Amino acid sequence: MKSTAKTIVIVNPASANGRVGREWDRIHRQIKENYDCTFEVEMTQHPGHAVDLSQEAVKAGYRLVVALGGDGMINEVLNGLFRERESLREDVVLGLLPLGTSNDLRRTLGIPKKLPLAVQTLNKAEVRLVDVGKVTTSNLEGVPEVRCFLNVADFGSGGAIADRVNRTTKRFGAQLSIYWGIISTMISFENPTITFSIDGGGEQTAVINDFILANARYFGGGLKPAPDAQMDDGLFDIITLGDIGFVESLINLPRLKKGTHLTHKKARFYRGKRVVARANTRVMIQTDGEVIGALPATFEIIPQALKVKA
């Protein structure tokens, strides 16, 4: 049966280091050949544009809003859908066609890597309810801001690595770009002292290299920080990587890729709904691969707040 939902595909032509824009005619043709109903297309013109486009799409009556691009693009569409509220119309659904540099969210959701197969999955996939993460912080200009995320948030070395990767070319693909970001950042990164509490419990203070709040399982182009994370359990999987340095990070990178790092003596694992954190220095926060601000911040889960077709 063909979908009857009024559908819009919001496209980031800069995704995959500009490949989506360069190859748009072919990509558009593949979607039309494999998708079961008519759809409209909107192209983003600048960073942040997808936030406005997705918000406007819902107001215009579109009920299936499809994000075509990388994890950062999906994050923008999500934030447009949730702008100024924590609940959506019950008939609004997010669809995903991951065509970015890393596409970590698709790994947890089981969306195929090849576009024709991803479109066919969009045709026949069931709608599922997933949790949404929310961060209350200040952006890099110091302005208070609330942002949502679907995949993973982290602060510490993860924020610094994301900042470096996003300021350099990604022409060599996700893994080489991420690994270069890790190596070049960790050489000089100084682990901050973080004070945090989980679900209103007592404050803890520790020197932490990275603090990860996972709604899904993967980040960093296939690294697996939260191997057991479930997107519909109403909880973050929370991982802290303690006072580790450059050499120890490199040695343990294969464990992080396999998801076996949680047994490391400097790793700690928790589950929770709310995390409040501050630091003794400026510590950047990344969500879904994009740097959004710096500590202090509050992270909260919004249980089963979003319908996703995946």
Side-chain angles (χ1 to χ4, degrees), residues 225-239:
D228 299 316
Q230 302 294 325
M231 294 187 70
D232 58 0
D233 63 357
L235 296 168
F236 290 123
D237 277 27
I238 302 164
I239 301 96

Side-chain angles (χ1 to χ4, degrees), residues 151-167:
N151 190 42
V152 174
D154 67 327
F155 53 86
S157 64
I161 291 165
D163 181 58
R164 185 179 293 268
V165 170
N166 291 339
R167 287 188 289 106

Side-chain angles (χ1 to χ4, degrees), residues 13-87:
S15 289
N17 202 38
R19 182 171 62 84
V20 169
R22 293 192 300 272
E23 300 180 10
W24 174 243
D25 288 345
R26 177 185 63 81
I27 291 169
H28 193 198
R29 185 174 63 253
Q30 287 185 339
I31 299 172
K32 289 194 293 185
E33 289 172 351
N34 289 279
Y35 191 54
D36 281 348
C37 84
T38 59
F39 60 92
E40 301 296 325
V41 173
E42 284 281 1
M43 291 275 192
T44 63
Q45 303 299 318
H46 52 77
H49 193 197
V51 177
D52 297 326
L53 291 177
S54 58
Q55 183 183 33
E56 292 164 3
V58 173
K59 291 180 179 178
Y62 291 97
R63 294 297 170 255
L64 179 57
V65 181
V66 180
L68 190 155
D71 290 334
M73 167 64 173
I74 295 168
N75 181 273
E76 285 194 15
V77 172
L78 172 76
N79 277 278
L81 296 179
F82 278 85
R83 182 182 274 176
E84 299 177 358
R85 58 189 181 273
E86 289 190 2
S87 61

Side-chain angles (χ1 to χ4, degrees), residues 79 86 133-139 143-149 153 155 236 274-278 285 287 292-302:
N79 277 278
E86 289 190 2
K134 183 178 78 169
V135 188
T136 303
T137 185
S138 296
N139 64 24
V143 179
E145 191 166 347
V146 177
R147 293 287 295 269
C148 293
F149 65 96
F155 53 86
F236 290 123
R274 187 174 188 268
V275 173
V276 179
R278 65 182 189 274
I285 304 164
T287 59
I292 63 161
L295 294 183
T298 299
F299 302 80
E300 299 168 277
I301 201 86
I302 311 173

